[in-house]
Amino acid sequence: VQLQASGGGLVQAGGSLRLSCAASGRIYSSYVMGWFRQAPGKEREFVAAMRWSRNSTKYADSANGRFIISKNNAKNTAYLQLNSVKPEDTAVYFCAASTQFTAQSSEYFIWGQGTLVTVSS
């Protein structure tokens, strides 16, 4: 399986953006799709995750209430809806796959290439 993230760009503070993560190849029902981000000069951090076979989700505190993770099984695509964005949301956003429903990046073994989100104030 390969993951391709897209949808990044420049958005004003308070605006919205939807990121997509398209998977090529089979996504097993046991998989968990996660989103992470890495801001300049900072470590990669967890944003959100969703079980591929269920609607179980988890969010980082910074994303809870503003971001929404979703999926379209038929399209083999996961999404991250960014709402009410802030300048501190500026980062490269990565999608990744794991078999663990976890926020630990070390448990994710398939990574997409990242898409840049820039939030202007």
Side-chain angles (χ1 to χ4, degrees), residues 6-27:
S6 62
L10 177 64
V11 59
Q12 287 190 331
S16 298
L17 203 62
R18 189 176 79 160
L19 308 181
S20 300
C21 177
S24 60
R26 180 179 177 181
I27 299 181

Side-chain angles (χ1 to χ4, degrees), residues 56-74:
S56 303
T57 59
K58 66 167 64 190
Y59 294 92
D61 289 344
S62 59
N64 205 13
R66 296 189 302 126
F67 297 174
I68 302 171
I69 188 171
S70 63
K71 58 183 173 67
N72 184 321
N73 294 62

Side-chain angles (χ1 to χ4, degrees), residues 47-102:
V47 178
M50 170 177 261
R51 293 184 187 274
W52 193 252
S53 62
R54 310 176 199 172
N55 290 325
S56 303
T57 59
K58 66 167 64 190
Y59 294 92
D61 289 344
S62 59
N64 205 13
R66 296 189 302 126
F67 297 174
I68 302 171
I69 188 171
S70 63
K71 58 183 173 67
N72 184 321
N73 294 62
K75 293 185 176 181
N76 260 15
T77 301
Y79 304 96
L80 185 67
Q81 177 72 36
L82 311 180
N83 299 318
S84 302
V85 295
K86 306 173 182 179
E88 51 264 43
D89 293 322
T90 294
V92 177
Y93 284 72
F94 299 88
C95 58
S98 173
T99 56
Q100 303 298 317
F101 190 50
T102 178

Side-chain angles (χ1 to χ4, degrees), residues 3 21 32-36 94-98 108-112:
L3 303 178
C21 177
V32 172
M33 302 300 290
W35 285 94
F36 293 78
F94 299 88
C95 58
S98 173
Y108 287 78
F109 52 86
I110 303 173
W111 289 83

